[in-house]
């Protein structure tokens, strides 16, 4: 039987070999592919033939996957892959090394649904496309709809799921001075999509980190939270959007995926894949962000 891991491995092999036109046979006829962080607005493609029309011929890059970490989940159809793409943009000759997360649902040996998160900042920089990207935000507008009511939690507050919920809803509640208490005294928190971001290694580091919320007058609500429970009882992976304002910004919405390891009710490790491009665009800080790459 073809497993989700088998399909991911074959997908990786085809990408590495640049056999772009063979990729589509791995997708179901009614497959859905979403890119929640694709700038300037998220994308969603439905159907194998739609994918073929849009992506036939592939991308003018040469790359290989590295540091692949596969998370099996309690849903046998779903795996979540963290990995790096290391390669070169052939048009510019510039190298890149980007982080990625792929949430893959495989049914009957074919990809039924894929949600793909990529480091678009470093990739766009390698393509020499940052100026064009900045211009795209001048006319693009992500649709904003009312945030649904917060669902009642049934999770043990000290379970990985419960801690994840307390973290993201704590941000929504503006509990900035309390959030660091969710982390162990010694922890390891990274932001792979933010160039130059330092690793936060202690609860004290997190206390300083969360001061940005109060100082920046961040007012977020949480929507579309999906928590994937993995086969490692300590690890949960959550997809969610923040919608709100920061300072005097207009209302905006950003997609995120966080990988948390929770032990004894405290976060001991977290990789926070946030949409820093969308945040910077909404707050007028694209130039500052681009200066980091």
């Amino acid at each position: 039987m073809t497993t989700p891991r088998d399909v991911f491995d074959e997908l990786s092999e085809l990408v590495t070999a640049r056999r772009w036109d063979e990729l589509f046979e791995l997708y179901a006829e009614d497959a859905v592919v979403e890119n929640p962080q694709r700038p300037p607005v998220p994308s969603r493609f439905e159907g194998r033939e739609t994918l073929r029309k849009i992506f036939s011929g592939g991308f003018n890059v040469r790359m290989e996957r590295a540091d692949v970490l596969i998370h099996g989940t309690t849903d046998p159809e779903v795996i979540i892959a963290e990995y790096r793409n290391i390669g070169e943009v052939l048009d510019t000759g510039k190298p890149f090394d980007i982080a990625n997360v792929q949430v893959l649902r495989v049914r009957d040996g074919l990809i039924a649904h894929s949600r793909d998160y990529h480091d678009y900042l470093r990739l766009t920089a390698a393509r020499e496309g940052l100026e064009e990207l900045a211009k795209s935000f001048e006319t693009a507008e992500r649709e904003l709809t009312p945030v649904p009511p917060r669902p009642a939690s049934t999770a043990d507050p000290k379970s990985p799921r419960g801690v994840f919920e307390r973290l993201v809803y704590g941000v929504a509640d503006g509990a900035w001075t309390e959030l660091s208490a969710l982390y162990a005294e010694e922890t390891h928190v990274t932001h792979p999509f933010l160039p130059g971001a330092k690793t936060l290694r202690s609860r004290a580091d997190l206390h300083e980190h969360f001061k940005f919320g109060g100082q920046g007058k961040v007012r977020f609500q949480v929507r579309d939270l999906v928590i994937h429970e993995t086969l490692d009882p300590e690890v949960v992976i959550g997809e969610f959007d923040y919608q709100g304002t920061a300072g005097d910004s207009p209302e905006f919405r950003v997609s995120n995926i966080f990988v948390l390891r929770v032990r004894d009710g405290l976060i001991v490790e977290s990789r926070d894949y946030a949409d820093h491009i969308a945040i910077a665009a909404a707050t007028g800080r694209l130039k500052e962000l681009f200066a980091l790459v």
Side-chain angles (χ1 to χ4, degrees), residues 20-28 48 51-52 55-57:
W20 306 113
D21 291 337
E22 297 178 43
L23 288 175
F24 309 108
E25 300 311 314
L26 297 179
Y27 291 82
R48 179 194 295 158
L51 295 172
R52 194 190 306 276
F55 298 110
S56 183

Side-chain angles (χ1 to χ4, degrees), residues 53-267:
K53 289 177 183 177
I54 294 174
F55 298 110
S56 183
F59 306 95
N60 203 21
V61 298
R62 181 185 297 112
M63 61 187 178
E64 295 184 355
R65 292 186 173 175
D67 296 338
V68 176
L69 176 59
I70 302 292
H71 302 273
T73 73
T74 53
D75 184 334
E77 291 186 338
V78 176
I79 62 169
I80 300 172
E82 296 179 82
Y83 59 95
R84 293 160 58 207
N85 278 333
I86 303 173
E88 176 188 8
V89 176
L90 300 179
D91 289 335
T92 64
K94 289 191 172 183
F96 60 83
D97 185 341
I98 65 171
N100 311 267
V101 186
Q102 188 170 32
V103 183
L104 205 62
R105 179 176 294 278
V106 174
R107 186 175 298 137
D108 299 326
L110 296 173
I111 299 170
H113 198 152
S114 183
R115 289 174 58 84
D116 304 345
Y117 299 82
H118 305 294
D119 184 350
Y120 290 102
L121 178 59
R122 289 182 176 89
L123 181 59
T124 303
R127 289 174 169 167
E128 298 182 349
L130 292 178
E131 183 176 348
E132 182 179 351
L133 176 59
K135 289 181 179 178
S136 72
F137 278 98
E138 296 175 3
T139 55
E141 185 174 341
R142 182 171 185 179
E143 181 182 4
L144 296 176
T145 58
V147 177
R150 183 184 303 183
S153 176
T154 59
D156 178 346
K158 291 189 175 182
S159 69
R161 174 182 286 272
V163 171
F164 198 108
E165 291 177 350
R166 289 164 62 199
L167 174 63
V168 296
Y169 288 123
V171 169
D173 293 337
W176 304 109
T177 60
E178 303 170 21
L179 293 174
S180 62
L182 297 174
Y183 294 80
E185 288 286 355
E186 294 184 4
T187 189
H188 192 275
V189 179
T190 58
H191 298 83
F193 289 167
L194 181 60
K198 71 173 185 177
T199 300
L200 306 176
R201 301 181 184 277
S202 68
R203 183 179 294 166
D205 287 346
L206 269 300
H207 182 75
E208 289 298 313
H209 170 73
F210 284 118
K211 285 182 178 180
F212 82 90
Q215 295 168 350
K217 299 179 181 179
V218 176
R219 299 177 180 86
F220 283 157
Q221 296 184 74
V222 177
R223 63 178 301 155
D224 303 336
L225 173 62
V226 176
I227 296 178
H228 304 274
E229 296 184 339
T230 74
L231 300 182
D232 183 331
E234 291 187 336
V235 176
V236 291
I237 301 173
E239 300 179 84
F240 64 98
D241 287 1
Y242 281 134
Q243 183 170 320
T245 59
D248 298 325
S249 77
E251 186 176 10
F252 62 98
R253 178 176 172 179
V254 294
S255 299
N256 313 271
I257 183 167
F258 289 3
V259 182
L260 262 63
R261 180 176 294 278
V262 176
R263 186 175 299 145
D264 298 326
L266 296 172
I267 301 168

Side-chain angles (χ1 to χ4, degrees), residues 5-66:
R5 176 62 190 260
D6 294 334
V7 173
F8 176 83
D9 288 343
E10 186 173 358
L11 184 68
S12 298
E13 291 173 7
L14 293 175
V15 168
T16 299
R18 305 185 72 238
R19 291 157 54 190
W20 306 113
D21 291 337
E22 297 178 43
L23 288 175
F24 309 108
E25 300 311 314
L26 297 179
Y27 291 82
E29 287 188 12
D30 58 351
V32 174
V33 175
E34 298 181 75
N35 303 108
Q37 294 183 354
R38 184 175 182 176
V41 294
S43 62
R44 176 185 173 94
F45 305 104
E46 299 184 15
R48 179 194 295 158
E49 291 311 308
T50 298
L51 295 172
R52 194 190 306 276
K53 289 177 183 177
I54 294 174
F55 298 110
S56 183
F59 306 95
N60 203 21
V61 298
R62 181 185 297 112
M63 61 187 178
E64 295 184 355
R65 292 186 173 175

